[in-house]
């Protein structure tokens, strides 16, 4: 099966979701074109964490080796007090962090398939195609449009406006994005490994410092290239968020200024918070001045070692929209489910959206108006529930970190000190059962994820050691062969019993047991062994054997 010949898709947004959508469509043999509002693609933020389920997709696309060569495995997240006292740890094991993912994906897109400086202002549909109009009056024609243009999606605003005019937009989708937290992120210039030896480690670990009497926290993450990413954030530090609900609603519904940045970072142009300039970093970071740097020295040393161009303000918005498609328009990533960016859930869920849609496009037989709604509904049914779980887990972790007070302290102690690691990974969203793959490409070559192969090997070694000890215990008993085999069968599985002893079938042994005759000397020896076996069973807590054999008269 193959998609309809001549099928063409217009992707709005050149961020992570848009680039991944283009790469997948290229592999599926589907024509596409990416329109990006910015005149120059510049990823904001400092690092991206990808969920381990993305490994399979990257492997299928032939990007895994290159991506891992540019990444550092992340062991986990250690939570510290502002003075450096260890409060707990979360084992993430398989997450990857890398600062250059956006540029890496950009290099995989042909230049003729990406056009920058294109701000979308209108989308019109016919029975056979759709036309995207940009502010510079250029137009692009395709069979459908994918909105991958971020939390303040222009595509979503255009689509929702049309639905609202027809009275089809749910009330929940009219509400603005919810946000009550923001942060400042930065990435240092290359540092001296002699001063910061942690930079030489092959793996990295996030360090989180929590304020004692304030909501502000600070994050640190060593990256490749001898750099350290940092983040200062919390709920409304210095009352930076002073926007009203009306202003936010206008921005969300499109009455105000559009912001189609697909990387989730919004400056003052979004209408929220005060004007932002890199020079305000000193004032923003005053709350963490007394924090103890986990790598030595002061946290201000790392902040001051950060170039001004590597500092960004990020609003931590979140919202799960109910309407993901209409007509020939469909949304992916932050444009339909904006997730608080913890553990890379936003990026990972956007990539999973793209994989699901690409599979459906590949099986599409026609691009007529009647064929698209069932396909889009299947996409929503597949992705919405998982996206909601990811959003909830990210929000729970954000509350766990930022909330203050007696109840919050007790909750952190319980979760970080007494909760099993597997449950912590589930709470933080690092364990998901859904591991989709691209159906039109070869299956993934590896289903074992980083550190899982080592853990699996350790489990096999422990099992082999237990079996060896059992065999040694059986040999030390020196029981008659039939009894030794019976005892072994009570400890080992029938399969192990056949493999290790090269036995005949269990049915044959039962026949031998019924038909065999014991001599008088064997019978006496057997009675002598019975007493020893009873004592041995008590010591080993072994299950009772069958009743003793009776000598035939």
């Amino acid at each position: 099966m193959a998609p309809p010949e001549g099928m063409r898709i217009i992707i709005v947004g050149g961020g992570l979701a848009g680039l991944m959508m283009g790469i997948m469509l290229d592999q599926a043999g589907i024509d596409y074109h990416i329109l990006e509002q910015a005149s120059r693609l510049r990823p904001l933020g400092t690092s991206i964490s990808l969920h381990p389920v993305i490994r399979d997709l990257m492997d299928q696309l032939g990007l895994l080796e290159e991506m891992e060569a540019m990444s550092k495995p992340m062991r986990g997240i250690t939570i510290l007090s502002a003075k450096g006292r260890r409060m707990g740890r979360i084992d993430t094991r398989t997450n990857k962090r890398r600062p250059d993912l956006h540029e890496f994906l950009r290099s995989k897109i042909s230049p003729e398939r990406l056009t920058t400086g294109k701000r979308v202002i209108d989308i019109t549909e016919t029975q056979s195609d759709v036309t995207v109009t940009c502010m510079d009056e250029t137009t692009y024609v395709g069979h459908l449009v994918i909105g991958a243009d971020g939390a303040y999606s222009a595509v979503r605003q255009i689509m929702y406006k049309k639905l609202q005019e027809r009275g089809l937009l749910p009330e929940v989708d009219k509400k603005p994005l919810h946000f009550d937290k923001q942060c400042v992120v930065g990435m240092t210039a290359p540092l001296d490994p002699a001063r910061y030896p942690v930079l030489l480690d092959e793996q990295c670990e996030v360090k989180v410092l929590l304020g004692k009497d304030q909501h502000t926290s600070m994050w640190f993450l060593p990256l490749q290239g001898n750099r350290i990413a940092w983040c200062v954030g919390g709920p409304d530090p210095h009352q930076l968020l002073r926007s009203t609900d009306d202003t936010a609603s206008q921005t969300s519904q499109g009455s105000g200024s559009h912001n189609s940045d697909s990387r989730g970072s919004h400056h003052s142009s979004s209408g929220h918070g005060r004007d932002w300039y890199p020079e305000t970093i000193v004032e923003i970071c005053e709350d963490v001045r007394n924090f103890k740097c986990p790598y030595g020295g002061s946290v201000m040393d790392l902040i001051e070692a950060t170039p001004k161009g590597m500092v960004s303000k990020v609003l931590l918005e979140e919202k799960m929209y109910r309407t993901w498609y209409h007509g020939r328009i469909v949304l992916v990533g932050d444009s339909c489910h904006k997730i608080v960016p913890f553990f890379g859930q936003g990026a990972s869920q956007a990539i999973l959206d793209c994989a699901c849609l690409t599979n459906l496009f590949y099986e599409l037989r026609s691009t007529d108006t009647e064929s698209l709604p069932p396909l889009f509904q299947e996409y929503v049914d597949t992705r919405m529930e998982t996206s909601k779980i990811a959003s909830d887990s990210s929000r729970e972790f954000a509350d766990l970190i930022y909330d203050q007070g007696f109840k919050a302290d007790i909750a952190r102690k319980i979760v970080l000190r007494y909760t099993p690691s597997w449950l912590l990974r589930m709470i933080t969203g690092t364990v998901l059962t859904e591991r989709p793959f691209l159906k039109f490409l070869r299956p993934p070559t590896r289903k074992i994820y980083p550190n899982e192969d080592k853990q699996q090997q350790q489990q096999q070694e422990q099992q082999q050691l237990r079996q060896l000890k059992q065999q040694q215990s059986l040999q030390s008993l020196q029981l008659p062969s039939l009894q030794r085999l019976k005892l072994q069968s009570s400890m080992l599985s029938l399969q192990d019993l056949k493999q290790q002893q090269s036995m005949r079938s269990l049915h044959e042994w039962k026949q031998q047991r019924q038909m065999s005759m014991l001599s008088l000397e064997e019978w006496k020896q057997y009675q002598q062994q019975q007493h020893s076996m009873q004592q041995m069973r008590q010591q080993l807590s072994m299950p009772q054997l069958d009743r003793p054999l009776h000598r035939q008269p």
Side-chain angles (χ1 to χ4, degrees):
M1 299 176 66
E5 184 177 356
M7 179 178 175
R8 180 177 174 82
I9 296 177
I10 306 299
I11 303 171
V12 180
L16 181 92
L19 295 176
M20 283 300 301
M21 192 77 234
I23 293 173
M24 293 181 185
L25 291 177
D26 193 37
Q27 293 281 351
I30 300 175
D31 187 23
Y32 68 93
H33 195 86
I34 301 175
L35 303 177
E36 166 59 31
Q37 172 182 280
S39 58
R40 182 173 64 91
L41 289 178
R42 185 177 72 88
L44 301 178
T46 58
S47 63
I48 297 176
S49 174
L50 292 181
H51 193 282
V53 302
I54 306 302
R55 279 182 53 91
D56 287 348
L57 295 173
M58 291 298 185
D59 180 25
Q60 288 187 287
L61 294 169
L63 306 178
L64 182 59
E65 291 186 5
E66 290 183 81
M67 190 189 74
E68 291 193 331
M70 303 171 67
S71 307
K72 270 194 175 185
M74 192 173 76
R75 294 187 299 260
I77 299 177
T78 299
I79 313 296
L80 307 169
S81 68
K83 296 183 178 180
R85 180 176 60 85
R86 190 177 188 274
M87 303 177 65
R89 184 179 185 277
I90 297 176
D91 178 19
T92 58
R93 289 190 282 180
T94 56
N95 276 18
K96 295 280 185 179
R97 311 284 295 211
R98 61 185 315 277
D100 311 314
L101 181 61
H102 187 270
E103 183 58 33
F104 170 70
L105 298 177
R106 169 65 183 85
S107 66
K108 305 301 178 182
I109 301 293
S110 301
E112 63 273 11
R113 292 184 177 271
L114 175 75
T115 305
T116 59
K118 297 296 181 180
R119 183 172 180 178
V120 175
I121 60 173
D122 192 21
I123 301 174
T124 57
E125 303 179 36
T126 68
Q127 289 295 322
S128 58
D129 57 31
V130 60
T131 301
V132 177
T133 303
C134 301
M135 180 170 286
D136 60 2
E137 298 183 355
T138 56
T139 59
Y140 296 84
V141 180
H143 292 100
L144 55 92
V145 174
I146 297 178
D149 48 344
Y152 293 87
S153 167
V155 174
R156 186 187 67 239
Q157 292 167 16
I158 294 171
M159 184 177 77
Y160 278 15
K161 183 179 180 180
K162 295 179 179 180
L163 288 171
Q164 190 169 3
E165 291 173 351
R166 301 174 185 176
L168 301 177
L169 186 66
E171 289 297 323
V172 66
D173 288 338
K174 298 178 183 179
K175 296 180 180 179
L177 286 162
H178 169 76
F179 62 96
D180 55 9
K181 297 178 178 64
Q182 74 170 9
C183 62
V184 176
V185 298
M187 183 169 60
T188 67
L191 303 173
D192 185 5
R195 182 177 179 182
Y196 299 100
V198 69
L199 296 171
L200 300 176
D201 294 347
E202 294 183 359
Q203 297 182 331
C204 62
E205 181 151 333
V206 176
K207 303 287 186 181
V208 182
L209 304 182
L210 301 182
K212 181 178 180 181
D213 299 319
Q214 60 201 32
H215 294 269
T216 307
S217 68
M218 188 165 187
W219 302 59
F220 302 91
L221 176 64
L223 300 173
Q224 287 189 331
N226 295 331
R227 297 170 295 177
I228 294 179
W230 55 267
C231 168
V232 178
D236 196 12
H238 291 294
Q239 298 183 353
L240 290 177
L241 303 178
R242 289 184 175 274
S243 60
T244 63
D245 288 343
D246 292 339
T247 302
S249 178
Q250 290 176 357
T251 305
S252 177
Q253 296 182 20
S255 300
S257 60
H258 289 278
N259 187 338
S260 60
D261 178 71
S262 60
R263 290 162 289 283
S265 298
H266 309 287
H267 297 263
S268 59
S269 62
S270 65
H272 306 300
R274 65 181 181 186
D275 290 339
W276 168 251
Y277 302 98
E279 289 77 8
T280 61
I281 185 173
V282 176
E283 181 182 353
I284 296 294
C285 297
E286 275 298 317
D287 285 344
V288 299
R289 178 173 290 276
N290 297 324
F291 282 18
K292 182 179 179 181
C293 181
Y295 311 124
S298 168
V299 297
M300 296 304 295
D301 294 338
L302 298 179
I303 295 176
E304 293 171 357
T306 302
K308 293 181 179 179
M310 295 303 298
V311 179
S312 305
K313 185 182 76 169
V314 181
L315 297 180
L316 305 183
E317 310 104 326
E318 62 174 333
K319 181 175 175 63
M320 286 293 300
Y321 290 93
R322 181 177 298 177
T323 307
W324 289 20
Y325 70 91
H326 176 67
R328 294 181 175 272
I329 303 174
V330 64
L331 307 176
V332 297
D334 289 352
S335 62
C336 56
H337 49 71
K338 180 63 176 73
I339 301 174
V340 178
F342 287 107
F343 300 102
Q345 286 288 12
S348 298
Q349 295 303 317
I351 294 175
L352 295 179
D353 289 348
C354 296
C356 179
L357 268 181
T358 305
N359 282 332
L360 294 173
F361 290 156
Y362 189 79
E363 298 175 351
L364 186 64
R365 303 275 64 82
S366 172
T367 57
D368 57 36
T369 306
E370 292 74 20
S371 300
L372 295 179
L375 179 144
F376 290 154
Q377 186 59 49
E378 183 177 353
Y379 158 65
V380 173
D381 294 342
T382 304
R383 293 291 308 131
M384 181 173 284
E385 184 62 28
T386 302
S387 299
K388 186 178 186 306
I389 293 174
S391 178
D392 292 343
S393 64
S394 294
R395 162 54 59 181
E396 289 169 1
F397 183 75
D399 293 341
L400 177 71
I401 295 298
Y402 289 127
D403 285 354
Q404 293 293 325
F406 177 76
K407 292 182 179 180
D409 290 340
I410 295 299
R412 267 192 292 271
K413 289 180 181 179
I414 294 175
V415 172
L416 297 177
R417 296 184 182 181
Y418 305 111
T419 307
S421 59
W422 64 266
L423 184 55
L424 280 176
R425 291 196 297 274
M426 182 175 294
I427 293 174
T428 55
T430 58
V431 174
L432 287 178
T433 57
E434 181 187 2
R435 285 183 172 174
F437 60 92
L438 297 171
K439 300 177 181 179
F440 53 88
L441 296 178
R442 58 165 178 77
T445 56
R446 289 191 65 193
K447 294 302 290 185
I448 298 178
Y449 295 85
N451 291 338
E452 288 184 355
D453 50 354
K454 183 177 180 181
Q455 182 182 11
Q456 194 176 65
Q457 182 180 0
Q458 291 176 349
Q459 292 176 351
Q460 292 176 352
E461 292 176 352
Q462 292 174 358
Q463 183 178 4
Q464 292 175 357
L465 182 60
R466 287 194 298 268
Q467 292 179 357
L468 180 60
K469 290 182 178 180
Q470 291 173 353
Q471 292 178 7
Q472 292 175 347
S473 300
L474 289 170
Q475 292 175 359
S476 64
L477 292 177
Q478 293 185 352
L479 297 174
S481 59
L482 179 60
Q483 296 303 314
R484 187 163 63 250
L485 289 171
K486 288 172 60 180
L487 183 59
Q488 186 175 8
S489 66
S490 66
M491 298 172 65
L492 302 177
S493 66
L494 179 60
Q495 183 179 2
D496 292 335
L497 187 65
K498 291 180 179 179
Q499 292 177 351
Q500 296 173 15
Q501 300 293 338
S502 300
M503 290 177 54
R504 289 171 291 176
S505 67
L506 182 62
H507 178 68
E508 292 178 287
W509 278 107
K510 287 182 178 179
Q511 288 182 341
Q512 179 177 352
R513 170 181 160 179
Q514 295 173 358
M515 299 175 60
S516 61
M517 296 289 295
L518 299 177
S519 65
L520 182 60
E521 292 182 1
E522 290 175 333
W523 177 253
K524 290 181 179 180
Q525 184 180 4
Y526 175 80
Q527 287 182 325
Q528 292 174 358
Q529 293 287 348
Q530 281 297 103
H531 180 69
S532 301
M533 284 184 60
Q534 291 177 357
Q535 294 180 343
M536 186 65 68
R537 282 198 301 268
Q538 294 176 357
Q539 296 176 1
L540 298 177
S541 299
M542 300 292 295
Q544 294 291 330
L545 298 174
D546 295 340
R547 290 178 296 179
L549 298 175
H550 293 284
R551 185 182 181 188
Q552 295 183 1

